[in-house]
Amino acid sequence: MKRTMMSLIGVAAALGAVTGVAAVTAPGGGAQEAPRGSSLLPVQRSALLCPAPTSSEVGQTDYTAFAPKGAAAGAAGKKGTAALLPAGTVKDAGGGTDNGKGKGKKSTGKNGKGADSAAGQAVAPRDTKPVVPLQEAGKPVTTSTDSPDAPALVGAADGALAPGWTVQQTTSVAAGSGRGLLGLSCTTPDTTFWFPGVSTATDRQDYVHLTNPDPTPAVVDLQLRGKDGSLGGSAGEDITVPPHTTVPVLLSTLTTTPTTNASLQVVAREGRIGAAVQATDGKLGSDWLPAAADPSPSVVLPGIPKDATSVRLVALAPGESDADLKVQLATPTGLITPAGLESLHLKSGMTTAVDLKDVTKGEAGSLVLTPSDGGSKAPVAAALRVTRGKGAKQEMAFIPATRPVEQRATAADNRDKGSTLSLVAPEKGKDAKVKVTASAGSGGGTPVTKTYTVKGGTSLDVAPPTPQGLKGTYALTVEPAAGSGPVHAARMLSRPQGGVPAFTVQTLPDDRGTVLVPTAGQDLSVLTK
């Protein structure tokens, strides 16, 4: 597996400082104050990518776009634009574009290895009309499609609409192996992604969707790791993703070893991409598995539903050192240790899975993993597979580890019923005070704001506020108060389908709507040095 060049990281950091498209966080994960001689300013441009939603003939996908109002957005200057455009698709890339209809076939990449980049087989989108274009901040825009060949979407926002621009993609599939509710906050492009919780077992079909937002090709490597380390084979190397195009890759074609619990690393060696995994289980329905937060010694997985009947933790220590973790559940009354799981040992480069069963015992909670006392502080990537229901009426969703909300986070596509907001303050003794704003509705309504206090070491589940006179859908914006303790957030959507408790969970990381810009000025003294 080839690694991203350090020079690329340097270039990305420089571009972020110059153009204002990157966010700034302190090394510990908290918000960073602008040092003397610099300013913390709203980003001027942001990008999002939405994968192709479903190939089901009985599926419907709703898109909701939103940009929050506020000081950061208003300071961005010009009014701004924000819209998504259909992307092209490469067929037969490790299973083609059937997205769960068949097992697919393995093909070769540009050097005779791996999934077929097939630049010559890229199919242009049938329509180039913008999707969910925003005209103003503070009010969602929605659209829907029931097309089984709806394309992936690639878009950008600038000006006042760039900070915090969020698009939610929610798909309801009424029947078939992919039935259920699939939800995803469309992703920002990057060069590295971690997906603990993928599977290549025969009862699962997991596709990773790779989408290139740029006018130049991207070259991507995929690596799977199981309980004994790397799952052999070079089938995931040198995958070319053409410009403004998406490539779906069936993970089971990358290895000859069926593995129930695995971790996937996605690395763009050239260019940048968006990545998300669509997982379909023969018994548990389907949902999107978003990328986990960058590996860290401590991770938080917020928003386990109180009625979860099964919870599985999948974790990986991707560095050169093993990790020893303390496992705790943040409940409404405090931090507890799940019975029989006082600690967890992760071997370097190997995926570990632990069945926590009905760990919440009827109370909503969030999982907190921290280094054991005296143990290694090796970075960790983690995700949960959560199941609700019993027997043939089960549905699954995924909760990846997520970054804290430092300044603001947004969840779009909320209705008058069916949304649950989870807030967790993971550090004992550090309470979090959080302002939650329900935006105007897409069809009308007046925004409403409510403040919640989350005691340190606890998790709080609430029915979020709804706009007065709501018509349509609305967005939730979460903003910690100044001086608040760290807080992580997630939002669950619940929309039952014929007795199946269909649901999906979206974590709410900070939107990184601001960037640190150094102040430049003349210094003629450099001429004398």
CSV table of all heavy atoms in Angstrom, one decimal, residues 49-106:
chain,number,residue,atom,x,y,z
A,49,LEU,N,-19.8,16.0,-1.7
A,49,LEU,CA,-20.0,14.9,-2.6
A,49,LEU,C,-21.0,13.9,-2.1
A,49,LEU,O,-20.9,13.5,-0.9
A,49,LEU,CB,-18.7,14.1,-2.9
A,49,LEU,CG,-17.5,15.0,-3.4
A,49,LEU,CD1,-16.6,15.3,-2.3
A,49,LEU,CD2,-16.8,14.4,-4.5
A,50,CYS,N,-22.0,13.6,-2.8
A,50,CYS,CA,-23.1,12.6,-2.4
A,50,CYS,C,-23.0,11.4,-3.4
A,50,CYS,O,-23.0,11.5,-4.6
A,50,CYS,CB,-24.5,13.2,-2.6
A,50,CYS,SG,-24.7,14.8,-1.7
A,51,PRO,N,-22.8,10.2,-2.8
A,51,PRO,CA,-22.8,9.0,-3.7
A,51,PRO,C,-24.1,8.7,-4.3
A,51,PRO,O,-25.1,9.2,-3.9
A,51,PRO,CB,-22.3,7.9,-2.7
A,51,PRO,CG,-22.9,8.4,-1.4
A,51,PRO,CD,-22.7,9.9,-1.4
A,52,ALA,N,-24.1,7.8,-5.3
A,52,ALA,CA,-25.3,7.4,-5.9
A,52,ALA,C,-26.2,6.7,-4.9
A,52,ALA,O,-25.7,5.8,-4.2
A,52,ALA,CB,-25.0,6.4,-7.1
A,53,PRO,N,-27.4,7.0,-4.7
A,53,PRO,CA,-28.2,6.6,-3.6
A,53,PRO,C,-28.6,5.1,-3.5
A,53,PRO,O,-28.4,4.4,-2.5
A,53,PRO,CB,-29.4,7.5,-3.5
A,53,PRO,CG,-29.6,7.9,-5.0
A,53,PRO,CD,-28.2,8.0,-5.5
A,54,THR,N,-29.2,4.6,-4.6
A,54,THR,CA,-29.7,3.2,-4.6
A,54,THR,C,-30.1,2.8,-6.0
A,54,THR,O,-30.4,3.7,-6.9
A,54,THR,CB,-30.9,3.1,-3.7
A,54,THR,OG1,-31.4,1.7,-3.8
A,54,THR,CG2,-32.1,3.9,-4.2
A,55,SER,N,-30.0,1.5,-6.3
A,55,SER,CA,-30.5,1.0,-7.6
A,55,SER,C,-31.8,0.4,-7.5
A,55,SER,O,-32.3,-0.2,-8.4
A,55,SER,CB,-29.5,0.0,-8.2
A,55,SER,OG,-29.3,-1.1,-7.3
A,56,SER,N,-32.5,0.4,-6.3
A,56,SER,CA,-33.7,-0.2,-6.1
A,56,SER,C,-34.9,0.4,-6.9
A,56,SER,O,-34.9,1.6,-7.0
A,56,SER,CB,-34.1,-0.2,-4.6
A,56,SER,OG,-35.4,-0.7,-4.4
A,57,GLU,N,-35.7,-0.4,-7.4
A,57,GLU,CA,-36.9,0.1,-8.1
A,57,GLU,C,-38.0,0.6,-7.2
A,57,GLU,O,-38.9,1.2,-7.6
A,57,GLU,CB,-37.5,-1.1,-9.0
A,57,GLU,CG,-36.6,-1.6,-10.1
A,57,GLU,CD,-36.4,-0.7,-11.2
A,57,GLU,OE1,-37.2,0.3,-11.3
A,57,GLU,OE2,-35.5,-0.9,-12.1
A,58,VAL,N,-37.8,0.3,-5.9
A,58,VAL,CA,-38.8,0.7,-4.9
A,58,VAL,C,-38.2,1.7,-3.9
A,58,VAL,O,-38.6,1.7,-2.7
A,58,VAL,CB,-39.5,-0.5,-4.2
A,58,VAL,CG1,-40.4,-1.2,-5.2
A,58,VAL,CG2,-38.4,-1.4,-3.6
A,59,GLY,N,-37.2,2.4,-4.3
A,59,GLY,CA,-36.6,3.4,-3.4
A,59,GLY,C,-36.9,4.8,-3.7
A,59,GLY,O,-37.1,5.2,-4.9
A,60,GLN,N,-36.9,5.7,-2.7
A,60,GLN,CA,-37.0,7.1,-2.9
A,60,GLN,C,-36.0,7.8,-2.1
A,60,GLN,O,-35.8,7.5,-0.9
A,60,GLN,CB,-38.4,7.6,-2.5
A,60,GLN,CG,-38.6,9.1,-2.6
A,60,GLN,CD,-40.0,9.6,-2.5
A,60,GLN,OE1,-40.9,9.1,-3.1
A,60,GLN,NE2,-40.2,10.6,-1.6
A,61,THR,N,-35.3,8.8,-2.7
A,61,THR,CA,-34.3,9.5,-2.1
A,61,THR,C,-34.7,11.0,-1.9
A,61,THR,O,-35.1,11.6,-2.9
A,61,THR,CB,-33.0,9.4,-2.8
A,61,THR,OG1,-32.6,8.0,-2.9
A,61,THR,CG2,-31.9,10.2,-2.2
A,62,ASP,N,-34.5,11.5,-0.7
A,62,ASP,CA,-34.8,12.9,-0.5
A,62,ASP,C,-33.4,13.6,-0.2
A,62,ASP,O,-32.6,13.1,0.5
A,62,ASP,CB,-35.6,13.1,0.8
A,62,ASP,CG,-37.0,12.5,0.6
A,62,ASP,OD1,-37.6,12.6,-0.5
A,62,ASP,OD2,-37.5,11.9,1.6
A,63,TYR,N,-33.2,14.8,-0.9
A,63,TYR,CA,-32.0,15.6,-0.7
A,63,TYR,C,-32.5,16.9,0.0
A,63,TYR,O,-33.5,17.5,-0.4
A,63,TYR,CB,-31.4,16.0,-2.0
A,63,TYR,CG,-30.8,14.8,-2.7
A,63,TYR,CD1,-31.5,14.2,-3.8
A,63,TYR,CD2,-29.5,14.3,-2.4
A,63,TYR,CE1,-30.9,13.1,-4.5
A,63,TYR,CE2,-29.0,13.2,-3.1
A,63,TYR,CZ,-29.7,12.6,-4.1
A,63,TYR,OH,-29.2,11.6,-4.8
A,64,THR,N,-31.8,17.3,1.1
A,64,THR,CA,-32.0,18.5,1.8
A,64,THR,C,-30.7,19.3,1.9
A,64,THR,O,-29.8,18.8,2.5
A,64,THR,CB,-32.6,18.2,3.2
A,64,THR,OG1,-33.8,17.4,3.1
A,64,THR,CG2,-33.0,19.5,3.9
A,65,ALA,N,-30.7,20.5,1.4
A,65,ALA,CA,-29.5,21.4,1.5
A,65,ALA,C,-29.8,22.5,2.5
A,65,ALA,O,-30.9,23.1,2.5
A,65,ALA,CB,-29.2,21.9,0.1
A,66,PHE,N,-28.8,22.9,3.2
A,66,PHE,CA,-28.9,24.0,4.2
A,66,PHE,C,-27.6,24.6,4.5
A,66,PHE,O,-26.6,24.0,4.5
A,66,PHE,CB,-29.5,23.4,5.5
A,66,PHE,CG,-29.7,24.4,6.6
A,66,PHE,CD1,-30.8,25.3,6.6
A,66,PHE,CD2,-28.8,24.5,7.6
A,66,PHE,CE1,-30.9,26.2,7.6
A,66,PHE,CE2,-28.9,25.4,8.7
A,66,PHE,CZ,-30.0,26.3,8.6
A,67,ALA,N,-27.6,25.9,4.7
A,67,ALA,CA,-26.5,26.7,5.2
A,67,ALA,C,-27.0,27.6,6.3
A,67,ALA,O,-28.0,28.3,6.2
A,67,ALA,CB,-25.9,27.6,4.1
A,68,PRO,N,-26.3,27.5,7.5
A,68,PRO,CA,-26.8,28.2,8.7
A,68,PRO,C,-26.6,29.7,8.6
A,68,PRO,O,-25.6,30.2,8.0
A,68,PRO,CB,-26.0,27.6,9.8
A,68,PRO,CG,-24.8,27.1,9.2
A,68,PRO,CD,-25.2,26.7,7.8
A,69,LYS,N,-27.5,30.5,9.2
A,69,LYS,CA,-27.2,31.9,9.4
A,69,LYS,C,-26.3,32.0,10.6
A,69,LYS,O,-26.1,31.2,11.4
A,69,LYS,CB,-28.5,32.6,9.6
A,69,LYS,CG,-29.4,32.8,8.4
A,69,LYS,CD,-30.6,33.7,8.8
A,69,LYS,CE,-31.5,34.0,7.6
A,69,LYS,NZ,-32.7,34.8,7.9
A,70,GLY,N,-25.7,33.2,10.7
A,70,GLY,CA,-24.9,33.5,11.8
A,70,GLY,C,-23.7,34.4,11.5
A,70,GLY,O,-23.6,34.9,10.3
A,71,ALA,N,-23.0,34.8,12.5
A,71,ALA,CA,-21.9,35.7,12.3
A,71,ALA,C,-20.9,35.3,11.3
A,71,ALA,O,-20.4,36.0,10.5
A,71,ALA,CB,-21.2,36.0,13.7
A,72,ALA,N,-20.5,34.0,11.4
A,72,ALA,CA,-19.5,33.5,10.4
A,72,ALA,C,-20.0,33.5,9.0
A,72,ALA,O,-19.3,34.0,8.1
A,72,ALA,CB,-19.1,32.0,10.8
A,73,ALA,N,-21.3,33.1,8.8
A,73,ALA,CA,-21.8,33.1,7.4
A,73,ALA,C,-21.9,34.5,6.9
A,73,ALA,O,-21.6,34.9,5.8
A,73,ALA,CB,-23.1,32.4,7.4
A,74,GLY,N,-22.4,35.4,7.8
A,74,GLY,CA,-22.6,36.8,7.4
A,74,GLY,C,-21.3,37.5,7.0
A,74,GLY,O,-21.3,38.4,6.2
A,75,ALA,N,-20.3,37.1,7.7
A,75,ALA,CA,-19.0,37.8,7.5
A,75,ALA,C,-18.3,37.3,6.2
A,75,ALA,O,-17.3,37.9,5.8
A,75,ALA,CB,-18.0,37.5,8.6
A,76,ALA,N,-18.9,36.4,5.5
A,76,ALA,CA,-18.3,35.9,4.3
A,76,ALA,C,-18.3,36.8,3.1
A,76,ALA,O,-17.7,36.6,2.1
A,76,ALA,CB,-18.9,34.5,3.9
A,77,GLY,N,-19.1,37.9,3.3
A,77,GLY,CA,-19.1,38.9,2.2
A,77,GLY,C,-20.2,38.8,1.3
A,77,GLY,O,-21.3,39.0,1.6
A,78,LYS,N,-19.9,38.3,0.1
A,78,LYS,CA,-20.9,38.2,-1.0
A,78,LYS,C,-22.0,37.2,-0.7
A,78,LYS,O,-21.8,36.3,0.2
A,78,LYS,CB,-20.2,37.9,-2.3
A,78,LYS,CG,-19.5,36.5,-2.3
A,78,LYS,CD,-18.9,36.3,-3.7
A,78,LYS,CE,-18.2,34.9,-3.7
A,78,LYS,NZ,-17.7,34.6,-5.1
A,79,LYS,N,-23.1,37.3,-1.4
A,79,LYS,CA,-24.3,36.5,-1.1
A,79,LYS,C,-24.0,35.0,-1.2
A,79,LYS,O,-24.3,34.2,-0.4
A,79,LYS,CB,-25.4,36.9,-2.0
A,79,LYS,CG,-26.7,36.1,-1.8
A,79,LYS,CD,-27.8,36.6,-2.7
A,79,LYS,CE,-29.1,35.9,-2.5
A,79,LYS,NZ,-30.2,36.3,-3.4
A,80,GLY,N,-23.3,34.6,-2.3
A,80,GLY,CA,-22.9,33.3,-2.5
A,80,GLY,C,-23.8,32.4,-3.2
A,80,GLY,O,-25.0,32.7,-3.5
A,81,THR,N,-23.3,31.2,-3.7
A,81,THR,CA,-24.0,30.2,-4.4
A,81,THR,C,-23.7,28.9,-3.8
A,81,THR,O,-22.7,28.7,-3.2
A,81,THR,CB,-23.7,30.2,-5.9
A,81,THR,OG1,-22.3,29.9,-6.0
A,81,THR,CG2,-24.0,31.5,-6.5
A,82,ALA,N,-24.6,27.9,-3.9
A,82,ALA,CA,-24.4,26.5,-3.5
A,82,ALA,C,-25.3,25.6,-4.3
A,82,ALA,O,-26.5,25.8,-4.3
A,82,ALA,CB,-24.7,26.4,-2.0
A,83,ALA,N,-24.7,24.6,-4.9
A,83,ALA,CA,-25.5,23.6,-5.7
A,83,ALA,C,-24.7,22.4,-5.9
A,83,ALA,O,-23.5,22.4,-5.9
A,83,ALA,CB,-26.0,24.3,-7.0
A,84,LEU,N,-25.4,21.3,-6.2
A,84,LEU,CA,-24.8,20.0,-6.6
A,84,LEU,C,-25.1,19.7,-8.1
A,84,LEU,O,-26.2,20.1,-8.5
A,84,LEU,CB,-25.3,18.9,-5.7
A,84,LEU,CG,-25.0,19.0,-4.2
A,84,LEU,CD1,-25.9,18.1,-3.4
A,84,LEU,CD2,-23.5,18.5,-4.0
A,85,LEU,N,-24.1,19.1,-8.7
A,85,LEU,CA,-24.3,18.7,-10.1
A,85,LEU,C,-24.1,17.2,-10.3
A,85,LEU,O,-23.3,16.6,-9.6
A,85,LEU,CB,-23.3,19.4,-11.0
A,85,LEU,CG,-23.5,20.9,-11.1
A,85,LEU,CD1,-22.3,21.5,-11.9
A,85,LEU,CD2,-24.8,21.3,-11.8
A,86,PRO,N,-24.9,16.5,-11.1
A,86,PRO,CA,-24.7,15.1,-11.3
A,86,PRO,C,-23.3,14.7,-11.8
A,86,PRO,O,-22.8,15.5,-12.6
A,86,PRO,CB,-25.8,14.8,-12.4
A,86,PRO,CG,-26.8,15.9,-12.3
A,86,PRO,CD,-26.1,17.1,-11.9
A,87,ALA,N,-22.8,13.6,-11.3
A,87,ALA,CA,-21.5,13.2,-11.7
A,87,ALA,C,-21.6,12.0,-12.7
A,87,ALA,O,-22.6,11.3,-12.7
A,87,ALA,CB,-20.7,12.7,-10.5
A,88,GLY,N,-20.5,11.7,-13.4
A,88,GLY,CA,-20.5,10.6,-14.3
A,88,GLY,C,-20.3,9.3,-13.4
A,88,GLY,O,-20.0,9.4,-12.2
A,89,THR,N,-20.4,8.1,-14.1
A,89,THR,CA,-20.2,6.9,-13.4
A,89,THR,C,-19.4,5.9,-14.2
A,89,THR,O,-19.5,5.8,-15.4
A,89,THR,CB,-21.6,6.2,-13.1
A,89,THR,OG1,-22.4,7.1,-12.4
A,89,THR,CG2,-21.4,4.9,-12.4
A,90,VAL,N,-18.4,5.2,-13.5
A,90,VAL,CA,-17.6,4.2,-14.2
A,90,VAL,C,-18.3,2.9,-13.9
A,90,VAL,O,-18.5,2.5,-12.7
A,90,VAL,CB,-16.2,4.2,-13.6
A,90,VAL,CG1,-15.5,3.0,-14.2
A,90,VAL,CG2,-15.5,5.5,-14.1
A,91,LYS,N,-18.6,2.1,-14.9
A,91,LYS,CA,-19.3,0.8,-14.8
A,91,LYS,C,-18.3,-0.3,-14.6
A,91,LYS,O,-17.1,-0.2,-14.9
A,91,LYS,CB,-20.1,0.5,-16.0
A,91,LYS,CG,-21.4,1.4,-16.2
A,91,LYS,CD,-22.2,1.0,-17.4
A,91,LYS,CE,-23.4,1.8,-17.5
A,91,LYS,NZ,-24.4,1.6,-16.4
A,92,ASP,N,-18.8,-1.4,-14.0
A,92,ASP,CA,-18.0,-2.6,-13.8
A,92,ASP,C,-16.7,-2.4,-13.0
A,92,ASP,O,-15.7,-3.0,-13.3
A,92,ASP,CB,-17.7,-3.2,-15.1
A,92,ASP,CG,-18.9,-3.7,-15.9
A,92,ASP,OD1,-19.9,-4.1,-15.2
A,92,ASP,OD2,-18.9,-3.5,-17.1
A,93,ALA,N,-16.8,-1.5,-12.0
A,93,ALA,CA,-15.6,-1.3,-11.2
A,93,ALA,C,-15.8,-2.1,-9.9
A,93,ALA,O,-16.4,-1.7,-8.9
A,93,ALA,CB,-15.4,0.2,-10.8
A,94,GLY,N,-15.3,-3.4,-9.9
A,94,GLY,CA,-15.4,-4.2,-8.8
A,94,GLY,C,-16.8,-4.5,-8.5
A,94,GLY,O,-17.3,-4.5,-7.3
A,95,GLY,N,-17.7,-4.8,-9.5
A,95,GLY,CA,-19.0,-5.1,-9.2
A,95,GLY,C,-20.0,-4.2,-9.9
A,95,GLY,O,-21.2,-4.4,-9.9
A,96,GLY,N,-19.5,-3.2,-10.6
A,96,GLY,CA,-20.4,-2.3,-11.5
A,96,GLY,C,-21.2,-1.4,-10.6
A,96,GLY,O,-21.0,-1.1,-9.5
A,97,THR,N,-22.4,-1.0,-11.2
A,97,THR,CA,-23.2,0.0,-10.6
A,97,THR,C,-24.5,-0.6,-10.1
A,97,THR,O,-25.5,0.1,-9.9
A,97,THR,CB,-23.6,1.1,-11.6
A,97,THR,OG1,-24.2,0.5,-12.7
A,97,THR,CG2,-22.3,1.8,-12.0
A,98,ASP,N,-24.5,-2.0,-9.9
A,98,ASP,CA,-25.8,-2.6,-9.5
A,98,ASP,C,-26.1,-2.3,-8.0
A,98,ASP,O,-27.2,-2.5,-7.6
A,98,ASP,CB,-25.8,-4.1,-9.8
A,98,ASP,CG,-24.7,-4.8,-9.0
A,98,ASP,OD1,-23.9,-4.2,-8.3
A,98,ASP,OD2,-24.6,-6.1,-9.2
A,99,ASN,N,-25.1,-1.9,-7.2
A,99,ASN,CA,-25.4,-1.5,-5.8
A,99,ASN,C,-26.3,-2.5,-5.0
A,99,ASN,O,-27.2,-2.2,-4.4
A,99,ASN,CB,-26.1,-0.2,-5.8
A,99,ASN,CG,-25.1,0.9,-6.1
A,99,ASN,OD1,-23.9,0.7,-6.1
A,99,ASN,ND2,-25.6,2.1,-6.3
A,100,GLY,N,-26.0,-3.8,-5.2
A,100,GLY,CA,-26.7,-4.8,-4.4
A,100,GLY,C,-27.5,-5.7,-5.1
A,100,GLY,O,-28.1,-6.6,-4.6
A,101,LYS,N,-27.6,-5.5,-6.5
A,101,LYS,CA,-28.4,-6.4,-7.2
A,101,LYS,C,-27.7,-7.7,-7.6
A,101,LYS,O,-28.3,-8.7,-7.9
A,101,LYS,CB,-28.9,-5.8,-8.5
A,101,LYS,CG,-30.0,-4.7,-8.3
A,101,LYS,CD,-30.5,-4.2,-9.7
A,101,LYS,CE,-31.6,-3.2,-9.5
A,101,LYS,NZ,-32.1,-2.7,-10.8
A,102,GLY,N,-26.4,-7.7,-7.6
A,102,GLY,CA,-25.6,-8.9,-7.9
A,102,GLY,C,-24.3,-8.8,-7.3
A,102,GLY,O,-23.9,-7.9,-6.7
A,103,LYS,N,-23.6,-9.9,-7.4
A,103,LYS,CA,-22.2,-10.0,-6.8
A,103,LYS,C,-21.2,-9.3,-7.5
A,103,LYS,O,-20.1,-9.0,-7.0
A,103,LYS,CB,-21.8,-11.5,-6.6
A,103,LYS,CG,-22.5,-12.1,-5.4
A,103,LYS,CD,-22.1,-11.5,-4.1
A,103,LYS,CE,-22.7,-12.2,-2.9
A,103,LYS,NZ,-22.4,-11.6,-1.7
A,104,GLY,N,-21.4,-9.0,-8.8
A,104,GLY,CA,-20.5,-8.2,-9.6
A,104,GLY,C,-19.3,-9.1,-10.0
A,104,GLY,O,-19.3,-10.3,-9.8
A,105,LYS,N,-18.3,-8.4,-10.6
A,105,LYS,CA,-17.2,-9.2,-11.1
A,105,LYS,C,-15.9,-8.3,-10.9
A,105,LYS,O,-16.0,-7.1,-10.9
A,105,LYS,CB,-17.3,-9.5,-12.6
A,105,LYS,CG,-17.4,-8.2,-13.5
A,105,LYS,CD,-17.6,-8.6,-14.9
A,105,LYS,CE,-17.8,-7.4,-15.8
A,105,LYS,NZ,-17.9,-7.7,-17.2
A,106,LYS,N,-14.8,-9.1,-10.7
A,106,LYS,CA,-13.6,-8.4,-10.5
A,106,LYS,C,-13.0,-8.0,-11.9
A,106,LYS,O,-13.1,-8.8,-12.8
A,106,LYS,CB,-12.6,-9.2,-9.7
A,106,LYS,CG,-11.3,-8.5,-9.4
A,106,LYS,CD,-10.3,-9.5,-8.7
A,106,LYS,CE,-10.8,-10.0,-7.4
A,106,LYS,NZ,-9.8,-10.9,-6.8
